[in-house]
Every structure is written in structure tokens, then in C-alpha cells.
Amino acid sequence: MSGNNDSNFGPGTRITGAGRRAEWTGTPGHPGAVVSPAVWRASTHLYPDMAALRDHPANEDGKFYYGRRGSPTQWALADALTALEPGAAGTVLYPSGVAAIAGVLLTVLRPGDVLLMSDNAYEPSRIMGRGLLHDFGVETRWFDPTSPDSLRAALCPQARAVLIESPGSLTMEVSDVPGLVAIAKAHGLVTVIDNTWASPLGFAALSHGVDITVMSLTKHVGGHSDVMMGSASAGADWYRKLRLRAQGLGTVVSPDDAALMLRGLRTMDLRLQRCAASALALAQWLAVQPGVAHVLCPMLPGAPGHDVWRRDFTGGCGLFSFILRGGSSLARDRLIDALNLFGIGYSWGGFESLATPVDPHDIRTASVWPPASWNAADQFGVRLSVGLEDANDLITDLDHALSVWRQAAEAKP
Ligand SMILES: *Cc1c(COP(=O)(O)O)cnc(C)c1O
């Protein structure tokens, strides 16, 4: 098995076969063959004799060497992710999404370089710019994710790489990735995207010219809120460099976690379709509620970024935000507390729905948030990660919570 990796197959077919090499699962039709690679837990891999140790294929992909280089369980996951990413030659696994971003940036950047980061980037990425990268002699400058001109304006001779996140995982702006890539290429910059929102099923990053695509596997691939991991996929040249740097940093993921990720991956296409459809139903419902000022859902016709999303993406997911009309931070707390079917907690992409407050205005650098065209009173946002519950039940829950919010927003302290 692994014959379903043919790119002519649909995503459901490819995701079913990805990473299932016969040498890792046994040969179908022969006794002992299994569907999923076993959890191959090892630090030491034994060589049959000295001759084999002497001429072991030092550290090549898919060859036994030492536990830090993984075993078939981790290799099968990396292989599967590579198969799903058109244009990728390989995938490096990291213990978390943040570790993947750090691992990639520490491969791409050198002291004296400037990193150009999208202003909607995930907060730990921003903190990395100001902290880790700064400490290692790299300066970070921010650009407006919706404006290629803003990237152009941030260019400087020391610029080395661009980090894009699209849609931004809080504010949901969709970047013109081909436009940003064209500017980056014209100036010899490396492009990196945090593609956690769409996954390769929704946005084929490398096909759109990006050099390195990163995902927090914790979200959609895991899908069950019980395991953390990150990945970076790239063409041959960057893959080799990423792999060597990860090896030098001692980055390794456990085979048990890799097995959980592989299990989650098999249903990812199905879950994404269901979560995206429910999220769109909720977004459509929210858009006509009097208490809601803005719905930030790229999949929603008329919402910010929808046109670019429709042009470049092949799918969505359950994550979007909405902005309340007026009110207060306290009233928003009442709303979130009143939700029964949405857990309160960080992360997203699990089978269960979650809600968190969104307050990005204090962390912006290169763009104004809320946008100048909005009524200034409309600033309290809620981010929903829509799970696998029935959309009608989630809407009933939101309806109730909005009525609680209305009372809290109208009560004058
Ligand atoms: C959660 C997240 C990450 C970090 O992933 P972890 O696995 O939690 O470290 C990176 N980027 C985005 C967009 C995320 O939402």
C-alpha cells in the first residue's frame, strides 16, 4: 500500500494511502500485514554485525540509524504529509508547531539578517521575532498582510526571509500569497508560510511558490485535542537543510505521538469538510444578528478576504472570528461563559467546539486594528473553533449566549 499517492486521486483517496509503505506495514496478503505502522519505540537500532555498522547508510531517510532519527512510525507520518503537499520532497517533524516555526527560522536566518513577518502572525511567532531571533542577531520587521505594497516598503538589503500566515489565525485576513511570493522572489528572499488554517488540503502552499510550509499538526491533523506536534515541508534543497538543522538541535518526536497523528490524519479531510460546512452555517447566521458587527470568515461570501480565498484555496476549516457591536470586555466574558457547547480554551481544530476572546489591537505593528473603516466601538471579538457537533445545536447555543450578551451590554455599570 502507498499506491494512493498518485496526485490524480482526490484528497480522500490520497489521505487513506499516504505513508503506508509495505516495508513498514507488512505486505498485504501475507500474514502479519497491518493497516497502520506499528508504534516502533526505540532509541537503539541494532546492527547485525560490525560490517553493517561500519557501512551503515549514515543517516539517510528511511534507514535505521539511531532513535533521534526516528523509526518507521515517525517516517510514515512524515512521508504521508509529504505525499499530501504537492511539490514537497520531504517533511521534518517537530515536537510542536512553535518548535517547527523556530526550527525553520533558525535554518533560514543568520545574524545580521532581517525577517519580514506578516502583521497577523500567531503571537508566539511575533514573540520569537522580538525574543529568540533578536537575541541571535536577527531583526524582525512587520508588514500588512493584506498589502503587497506594505511588504515592498519593508524590504531592505539585509532582508532574508518572509513569514506569511494566511488566513491569520485570529483576525482571518487572507493574503495574496502569489503576489507576496513574486515580490520575495524578485528580491531573492525565502518565503515561509504558516499554513495551519488550511492544511495542504485547503491551500497547496508550495504550488503557489512558497519555499517552506509549516503546520501546527496539533490542530487539524491531530484533530482530537490530545497530542502536539509541528511539521515543515519543502522541496529537496530546503528539506535537506531543515532536516540537518533539526538533527543538530536534537529535535525528535515520540513514535506514540506520531501514531496518534497518523490516526488523526486519516480522517482529516472528512473532519475539515464537516467543520468548514458548519462554520459557514454559523457565520451566515451570525452575519444577520443585530449584535454582530463583523464576521471574519474567509469562506463567507462578502466577508473580508473571501475573493482571494476563493481564488487560491480548495477548502476551509472550522476556525473563524466575529466582532460584537459595541458592548464591553465584561459583556463578552458573559457571552463566552453562557456557551454550553463551546469549551473555553486555547488551540483549535479538534472534534469539539471552542471559543476564545480576540483582542489583537495591542499587538499590531504595521497595520491598524480594528480597521479604520469600522465603528470604533466595535472591538470585542470572539474566535470560534467549530467542531463536529450539529450546526443547529451550535447556533441555538450561540443564540442563547448572544441574548445573555445583550443584557450584559445594555446594563450600565
Ligand atoms: C497553534 C498554532 C501554532 C503553534 O502550534 P503548537 O503546536 O501549539 O505549538 C502555530 N501557528 C498557528 C497558526 C497556530 O494556531
Side-chain angles (χ1 to χ4, degrees):
M1 199 69 184
S2 88
N4 329 19
N5 292 344
D6 188 326
S7 59
N8 292 323
F9 284 125
T13 310
R14 284 188 286 129
I15 216 166
T16 306
R20 289 171 57 196
R21 289 199 207 169
E23 71 254 42
W24 300 336
T25 55
T27 309
H30 288 257
V34 292
V35 174
S36 294
V39 177
W40 203 298
R41 210 184 272 116
S43 54
T44 297
H45 293 148
L46 294 171
Y47 296 89
D49 52 31
M50 275 308 296
L53 184 138
R54 290 266 179 245
D55 93 338
H56 69 77
N59 208 353
E60 272 170 39
D61 274 357
K63 299 278 162 51
F64 287 103
Y65 176 54
Y66 174 61
R68 205 186 310 110
R69 285 291 302 128
S71 66
T73 322
Q74 295 99 318
W75 301 339
L77 174 60
D79 213 47
L81 293 170
T82 302
L84 295 176
E85 184 72 56
T91 297
V92 179
L93 301 174
Y94 300 84
S96 69
V98 166
I101 295 166
V104 167
L105 295 178
L106 290 175
T107 306
V108 166
L109 297 162
R110 298 284 175 277
D113 286 348
V114 166
L115 169 66
L116 305 175
M117 191 185 293
S118 173
D119 208 16
N120 60 352
Y122 181 63
E123 199 172 2
S125 300
R126 297 179 67 96
I127 293 170
M128 215 179 281
R130 297 224 163 87
L132 175 78
L133 297 178
H134 172 81
D135 291 350
F136 283 81
V138 172
E139 188 199 330
T140 301
R141 297 186 187 173
W142 278 270
F143 64 92
D144 180 341
T146 61
S147 161
D149 281 341
S150 172
L151 174 63
R152 222 175 261 118
L155 289 168
C156 59
Q158 299 79 20
R160 170 86 182 125
V162 182
L163 176 64
I164 303 166
E165 184 175 316
S166 178
S169 57
L170 286 177
T171 41
M172 305 292 148
E173 300 96 331
V174 185
S175 292
D176 173 8
V177 173
L180 297 177
V181 164
I183 296 168
K185 284 208 189 307
H187 293 83
L189 309 185
V190 186
T191 46
V192 180
I193 193 167
D194 182 335
N195 197 33
T196 303
W197 189 90
S199 91
L201 299 186
F203 182 69
L206 302 186
S207 304
H208 281 87
V210 175
D211 293 306
I212 302 170
T213 176
V214 175
M215 262 198 295
S216 165
L217 306 181
T218 309
K219 313 293 166 49
H220 295 133
V221 176
H224 296 72
S225 308
D226 55 3
V227 59
M228 300 190 76
M229 206 177 287
S231 68
S233 303
D237 205 28
W238 279 114
Y239 168 63
R240 195 179 53 79
K241 292 175 181 153
L242 291 168
R243 181 180 172 284
L244 283 172
R245 181 52 42 97
Q247 205 172 305
L249 288 167
T251 307
V252 61
V253 304
S254 95
D256 301 78
D257 289 351
L260 280 175
M261 280 298 167
L262 269 171
R263 173 177 287 218
L265 181 71
R266 301 300 174 199
T267 57
M268 182 170 76
D269 182 42
L270 192 62
R271 285 184 287 102
L272 282 175
Q273 287 182 41
R274 161 84 171 209
C275 294
S278 295
L280 183 57
L282 267 62
Q284 278 164 337
W285 181 84
L286 283 163
V288 295
Q289 302 309 306
V292 174
H294 304 279
V295 177
L296 308 176
C297 176
M299 303 174 293
L300 179 69
H306 176 72
D307 292 343
V308 180
W309 178 78
R310 224 179 43 188
R311 184 191 71 187
D312 293 347
F313 286 63
T314 50
C317 73
L319 190 80
F320 73 98
S321 299
F322 63 94
I323 309 293
L324 292 157
R325 197 177 289 287
S328 62
S329 179
L330 194 70
R332 177 183 52 189
D333 286 359
R334 292 289 93 81
L335 185 159
I336 295 175
D337 280 339
L339 290 166
N340 292 311
L341 296 179
F342 293 79
I344 303 171
Y346 293 110
S347 199
W348 45 282
F351 62 85
E352 84 294 9
S353 291
L354 295 173
T356 44
V358 175
D359 290 307
H361 44 277
D362 359 326
I363 60 167
R364 288 289 168 137
T365 311
S367 49
V368 181
W369 192 271
S373 59
W374 290 9
N375 182 335
D378 302 336
Q379 53 171 305
F380 300 102
V382 177
R383 186 179 78 167
L384 300 179
S385 173
V386 178
L388 298 178
E389 303 88 348
D390 290 285
N392 286 341
D393 294 332
L394 295 174
I395 288 173
T396 304
D397 201 30
L398 277 170
D399 194 23
H400 164 72
L402 271 171
S403 69
V404 171
W405 169 82
R406 206 169 301 119
Q407 285 171 10
E410 282 163 7
K412 291 279 172 275

